[in-house]
Amino acid sequence: MSKGVCRAGAGHGAAAAVRLLVTLSFLPSVVEAQVTGVLDDCLCDIDSIDNFNTYKIFPKIKKLQERDYFRYYKVNLKRPCPFWTEDGHCSIKDCHVEPCPESKIPVGIKAGHSNKYLKMANNTKELEDCEQANKLGAINSTLSNQSKEAFIDWARYDDSRDHFCELDDERSPAAQYVDLLLNPERYTGYKGTSAWRVWNSIYEENCFKPRSVYRPLNPLAPSRGEDDGESFYTWLEGLCLEKRVFYKLISGLHASINLHLCANYLLEETWGKPSWGPNIKEFKRRFDPVETKGEGPRRLKNLYFLYLIELRALSKVAPYFERSVVDLYTGNVEEDADTKALLLNIFQDTKSFPMHFDEKSMFAGDKKGAKSLKEEFRLHFKNISRIMDCVGCDKCRLWGKLQTQGLGTALKILFSEKEIQKLPENSPSKGFQLTRQEIVALLNAFGRLSTSITELQNFKVLLQHSR
């Protein structure tokens, strides 16, 4: 559709101006018209996702993110970039992340470790036994000796081969707790060469793309005339499903992050008091079909595709949390019970969604080839998680690491179905486990996607009012 839109050129006079005004008046409906219909590589339509997210998911996931268990995230923002020499951290004040004082962290989280989500034992001897198990976390006093031994085995289990992300070492002195509610994701002013290099490295070196194929709007691409990225999408459609999915996940994550920046933009600052809100001009620059030569709507469709992937992961991991042995422990017994009840309620909603993505269609070829492709898929994504340590803005790095880890955890879940099905009810499992860091990242990352879709609806309304 972008090819048919008239543009006013110099010297065209009043007629060109009229055509431009007519074009601008239709931009809101163009955005809306192009981000609709059934998504590629699945059988779900965008309107169904919008309604499901608006009425079932968003109000609950927003409430969950405000609970103590999910608002405190431990992260190392000082890890050096492993791929290139950094230009130095951003000096813009809005890039700064305020770590949480030790006194503010709930006792159950502060006393715990990476796998800490079970109740604190009242018995001192049991607590000592747990500390010997690599300080895994406390054990419910009702567990048998056999279960306690299983916890110790579990602590020794190295599941790095299942990880799609490079996890921060929470025991590192550089790792700090961050209150996500006090450090919201929004536009910080971080841009330019440093930011571009991060995303360029992700797309050019990790998305299974040969260097001879150029992404749409890539400033390094040679002049392609009126190509508008069609050659790129011809190449993309020729890939196997798994590699197409990989690209769509990264593009969807990029779109989601850009939506957050557009929706929480520094509009003005008076007497040191900033005013944050939606920036329609910035939204158009990043997503309008005319300004992006049709690329914007494709990016937004990939956002919906990513939402489906993480939604599917939540529905699949529900049995893990439905077990009585799992308790999202902070030390506040009443709130912990309410938090788990709310989480299980969200899981029930995710399972009720009728048009889930079918992950079984992936890696379904011959066993040897499928295994090799899955490992390549995993390593490429793990590499992207490492690139997040190259982001120069601390706040952007924080949210980039969290959302990448959340997606990596979702992928880990989707490809661990057999292990999840074999989970014992009253004891831990060696075959599948999630750290607290992964749990917090998973739900907050999905919460960000839910927020993005809500923000997109808001921008559609704003665009209609601005006509």
Side-chain angles (χ1 to χ4, degrees), residues 29 91 131 148 190 197 221 225 256 266 285 336 346 363 373 380 394 404 413 453 460:
S29 59
S91 59
E131 303 235 345
K148 294 173 190 175
Y190 174 64
R197 182 163 54 174
S256 180
L266 181 59
R285 186 179 75 81
D336 292 348
I346 291 172
F363 309 111
L373 181 59
H380 274 240
D394 276 353
T404 304
I413 291 166
I453 288 177
K460 288 178 180 179

mmCIF file of all heavy atoms in Angstrom, residues 29 91 131 148 190 197 221 225 256 266 285 336 346 363 373 380 394 404 413 453 460:
data_model
loop_
_atom_site.group_PDB
_atom_site.id
_atom_site.type_symbol
_atom_site.label_atom_id
_atom_site.label_comp_id
_atom_site.label_asym_id
_atom_site.label_seq_id
_atom_site.Cartn_x
_atom_site.Cartn_y
_atom_site.Cartn_z
ATOM 1 N N SER A 29 -5.959 5.036 9.438
ATOM 2 C CA SER A 29 -6.659 3.857 8.955
ATOM 3 C C SER A 29 -5.722 2.928 8.209
ATOM 4 O O SER A 29 -5.908 1.720 8.195
ATOM 5 C CB SER A 29 -7.821 4.272 8.038
ATOM 6 O OG SER A 29 -7.344 5.020 6.940
ATOM 7 N N SER A 91 25.672 8.838 29.549
ATOM 8 C CA SER A 91 25.714 9.815 30.647
ATOM 9 C C SER A 91 24.385 10.533 30.825
ATOM 10 O O SER A 91 24.243 11.364 31.717
ATOM 11 C CB SER A 91 26.821 10.843 30.381
ATOM 12 O OG SER A 91 26.588 11.518 29.153
ATOM 13 N N GLU A 131 21.664 -25.520 53.191
ATOM 14 C CA GLU A 131 22.851 -24.709 52.923
ATOM 15 C C GLU A 131 23.968 -25.576 52.372
ATOM 16 O O GLU A 131 24.756 -25.143 51.545
ATOM 17 C CB GLU A 131 23.305 -24.014 54.210
ATOM 18 C CG GLU A 131 22.216 -23.152 54.811
ATOM 19 C CD GLU A 131 22.667 -21.726 55.016
ATOM 20 O OE1 GLU A 131 23.872 -21.493 54.960
ATOM 21 O OE2 GLU A 131 21.800 -20.875 55.212
ATOM 22 N N LYS A 148 14.345 -34.440 50.289
ATOM 23 C CA LYS A 148 15.458 -33.552 50.605
ATOM 24 C C LYS A 148 16.696 -33.932 49.801
ATOM 25 O O LYS A 148 17.432 -33.076 49.302
ATOM 26 C CB LYS A 148 15.771 -33.596 52.095
ATOM 27 C CG LYS A 148 14.666 -33.024 52.976
ATOM 28 C CD LYS A 148 14.980 -33.258 54.435
ATOM 29 C CE LYS A 148 13.788 -32.908 55.311
ATOM 30 N NZ LYS A 148 14.025 -33.251 56.731
ATOM 31 N N TYR A 190 18.901 7.395 24.507
ATOM 32 C CA TYR A 190 20.008 6.551 24.038
ATOM 33 C C TYR A 190 19.774 6.179 22.583
ATOM 34 O O TYR A 190 18.779 5.541 22.251
ATOM 35 C CB TYR A 190 20.079 5.294 24.905
ATOM 36 C CG TYR A 190 21.088 4.258 24.454
ATOM 37 C CD1 TYR A 190 22.449 4.534 24.449
ATOM 38 C CD2 TYR A 190 20.667 2.999 24.055
ATOM 39 C CE1 TYR A 190 23.370 3.579 24.048
ATOM 40 C CE2 TYR A 190 21.581 2.030 23.655
ATOM 41 C CZ TYR A 190 22.934 2.319 23.656
ATOM 42 O OH TYR A 190 23.843 1.369 23.258
ATOM 43 N N ARG A 197 24.611 -0.288 16.560
ATOM 44 C CA ARG A 197 25.539 -1.408 16.449
ATOM 45 C C ARG A 197 24.997 -2.655 17.157
ATOM 46 O O ARG A 197 25.194 -3.774 16.687
ATOM 47 C CB ARG A 197 26.905 -1.018 17.043
ATOM 48 C CG ARG A 197 27.937 -2.123 16.929
ATOM 49 C CD ARG A 197 29.351 -1.620 17.137
ATOM 50 N NE ARG A 197 29.539 -0.901 18.377
ATOM 51 C CZ ARG A 197 30.737 -0.479 18.810
ATOM 52 N NH1 ARG A 197 31.816 -0.697 18.074
ATOM 53 N NH2 ARG A 197 30.824 0.180 19.949
ATOM 54 N N ALA A 221 22.779 -0.821 3.243
ATOM 55 C CA ALA A 221 22.398 -1.521 2.013
ATOM 56 C C ALA A 221 22.652 -0.639 0.801
ATOM 57 O O ALA A 221 22.420 0.576 0.844
ATOM 58 C CB ALA A 221 20.923 -1.917 2.076
ATOM 59 N N GLY A 225 16.649 0.960 -5.433
ATOM 60 C CA GLY A 225 15.557 1.536 -6.222
ATOM 61 C C GLY A 225 14.232 1.413 -5.490
ATOM 62 O O GLY A 225 14.080 1.857 -4.365
ATOM 63 N N SER A 256 8.377 -4.426 20.008
ATOM 64 C CA SER A 256 7.802 -4.230 21.334
ATOM 65 C C SER A 256 8.582 -3.174 22.113
ATOM 66 O O SER A 256 7.996 -2.271 22.730
ATOM 67 C CB SER A 256 7.806 -5.557 22.106
ATOM 68 O OG SER A 256 7.263 -5.387 23.400
ATOM 69 N N LEU A 266 9.730 11.263 26.722
ATOM 70 C CA LEU A 266 9.863 12.512 27.475
ATOM 71 C C LEU A 266 9.307 13.651 26.625
ATOM 72 O O LEU A 266 9.948 14.116 25.698
ATOM 73 C CB LEU A 266 11.340 12.766 27.815
ATOM 74 C CG LEU A 266 11.627 14.037 28.620
ATOM 75 C CD1 LEU A 266 10.877 14.029 29.945
ATOM 76 C CD2 LEU A 266 13.136 14.194 28.849
ATOM 77 N N ARG A 285 7.201 7.570 12.899
ATOM 78 C CA ARG A 285 8.553 7.413 12.362
ATOM 79 C C ARG A 285 8.997 5.951 12.378
ATOM 80 O O ARG A 285 9.679 5.484 11.466
ATOM 81 C CB ARG A 285 9.542 8.259 13.172
ATOM 82 C CG ARG A 285 10.945 8.281 12.603
ATOM 83 C CD ARG A 285 11.866 9.145 13.444
ATOM 84 N NE ARG A 285 12.242 8.505 14.689
ATOM 85 C CZ ARG A 285 13.208 7.583 14.799
ATOM 86 N NH1 ARG A 285 13.877 7.185 13.719
ATOM 87 N NH2 ARG A 285 13.510 7.061 15.975
ATOM 88 N N ASP A 336 2.041 -14.105 49.444
ATOM 89 C CA ASP A 336 2.584 -15.192 48.627
ATOM 90 C C ASP A 336 1.477 -16.096 48.105
ATOM 91 O O ASP A 336 1.484 -16.512 46.942
ATOM 92 C CB ASP A 336 3.591 -16.018 49.435
ATOM 93 C CG ASP A 336 4.858 -15.237 49.760
ATOM 94 O OD1 ASP A 336 5.042 -14.152 49.170
ATOM 95 O OD2 ASP A 336 5.647 -15.702 50.605
ATOM 96 N N ILE A 346 -3.942 -16.705 35.782
ATOM 97 C CA ILE A 346 -3.421 -16.288 34.471
ATOM 98 C C ILE A 346 -3.122 -17.506 33.613
ATOM 99 O O ILE A 346 -3.423 -17.532 32.418
ATOM 100 C CB ILE A 346 -2.161 -15.409 34.655
ATOM 101 C CG1 ILE A 346 -2.536 -14.063 35.277
ATOM 102 C CG2 ILE A 346 -1.449 -15.184 33.314
ATOM 103 C CD1 ILE A 346 -1.357 -13.203 35.667
ATOM 104 N N PHE A 363 11.301 -28.260 14.335
ATOM 105 C CA PHE A 363 12.290 -29.314 14.565
ATOM 106 C C PHE A 363 11.661 -30.698 14.438
ATOM 107 O O PHE A 363 11.867 -31.587 15.262
ATOM 108 C CB PHE A 363 12.937 -29.150 15.959
ATOM 109 C CG PHE A 363 13.451 -27.764 16.217
ATOM 110 C CD1 PHE A 363 12.849 -26.936 17.150
ATOM 111 C CD2 PHE A 363 14.530 -27.272 15.498
ATOM 112 C CE1 PHE A 363 13.314 -25.650 17.383
ATOM 113 C CE2 PHE A 363 15.009 -25.978 15.732
ATOM 114 C CZ PHE A 363 14.399 -25.163 16.668
ATOM 115 N N LEU A 373 19.693 -28.519 14.131
ATOM 116 C CA LEU A 373 19.064 -27.220 13.899
ATOM 117 C C LEU A 373 18.609 -26.592 15.211
ATOM 118 O O LEU A 373 18.765 -25.382 15.424
ATOM 119 C CB LEU A 373 17.873 -27.382 12.954
ATOM 120 C CG LEU A 373 17.103 -26.109 12.591
ATOM 121 C CD1 LEU A 373 18.021 -25.086 11.921
ATOM 122 C CD2 LEU A 373 15.924 -26.444 11.678
ATOM 123 N N HIS A 380 22.370 -19.457 18.708
ATOM 124 C CA HIS A 380 22.192 -18.125 18.120
ATOM 125 C C HIS A 380 21.463 -17.216 19.104
ATOM 126 O O HIS A 380 21.836 -16.050 19.276
ATOM 127 C CB HIS A 380 21.390 -18.229 16.811
ATOM 128 C CG HIS A 380 22.234 -18.525 15.610
ATOM 129 N ND1 HIS A 380 22.319 -17.691 14.518
ATOM 130 C CD2 HIS A 380 23.052 -19.569 15.334
ATOM 131 C CE1 HIS A 380 23.141 -18.203 13.625
ATOM 132 N NE2 HIS A 380 23.594 -19.353 14.101
ATOM 133 N N ASP A 394 22.192 1.951 30.788
ATOM 134 C CA ASP A 394 21.894 0.969 31.839
ATOM 135 C C ASP A 394 20.423 0.572 31.866
ATOM 136 O O ASP A 394 20.092 -0.600 32.060
ATOM 137 C CB ASP A 394 22.309 1.515 33.205
ATOM 138 C CG ASP A 394 23.790 1.289 33.488
ATOM 139 O OD1 ASP A 394 24.444 0.601 32.673
ATOM 140 O OD2 ASP A 394 24.292 1.799 34.510
ATOM 141 N N THR A 404 14.984 -10.392 26.923
ATOM 142 C CA THR A 404 15.671 -11.460 26.206
ATOM 143 C C THR A 404 15.670 -12.736 27.035
ATOM 144 O O THR A 404 15.415 -13.834 26.521
ATOM 145 C CB THR A 404 17.126 -11.049 25.890
ATOM 146 O OG1 THR A 404 17.120 -9.826 25.157
ATOM 147 C CG2 THR A 404 17.822 -12.110 25.057
ATOM 148 N N ILE A 413 11.011 -23.608 27.777
ATOM 149 C CA ILE A 413 9.774 -24.297 28.176
ATOM 150 C C ILE A 413 9.164 -25.041 26.993
ATOM 151 O O ILE A 413 8.791 -26.224 27.113
ATOM 152 C CB ILE A 413 8.764 -23.283 28.743
ATOM 153 C CG1 ILE A 413 9.255 -22.733 30.082
ATOM 154 C CG2 ILE A 413 7.374 -23.897 28.889
ATOM 155 C CD1 ILE A 413 8.518 -21.491 30.555
ATOM 156 N N ILE A 453 0.854 -4.450 23.191
ATOM 157 C CA ILE A 453 -0.370 -4.591 22.409
ATOM 158 C C ILE A 453 -1.426 -3.600 22.891
ATOM 159 O O ILE A 453 -2.161 -3.009 22.094
ATOM 160 C CB ILE A 453 -0.876 -6.043 22.470
ATOM 161 C CG1 ILE A 453 0.063 -6.927 21.642
ATOM 162 C CG2 ILE A 453 -2.312 -6.166 21.978
ATOM 163 C CD1 ILE A 453 -0.266 -8.394 21.670
ATOM 164 N N LYS A 460 -3.616 3.733 18.070
ATOM 165 C CA LYS A 460 -4.630 3.733 17.006
ATOM 166 C C LYS A 460 -5.707 4.773 17.306
ATOM 167 O O LYS A 460 -6.151 5.500 16.419
ATOM 168 C CB LYS A 460 -5.248 2.337 16.864
ATOM 169 C CG LYS A 460 -4.319 1.311 16.229
ATOM 170 C CD LYS A 460 -4.996 -0.057 16.161
ATOM 171 C CE LYS A 460 -4.085 -1.104 15.516
ATOM 172 N NZ LYS A 460 -4.707 -2.442 15.468
#
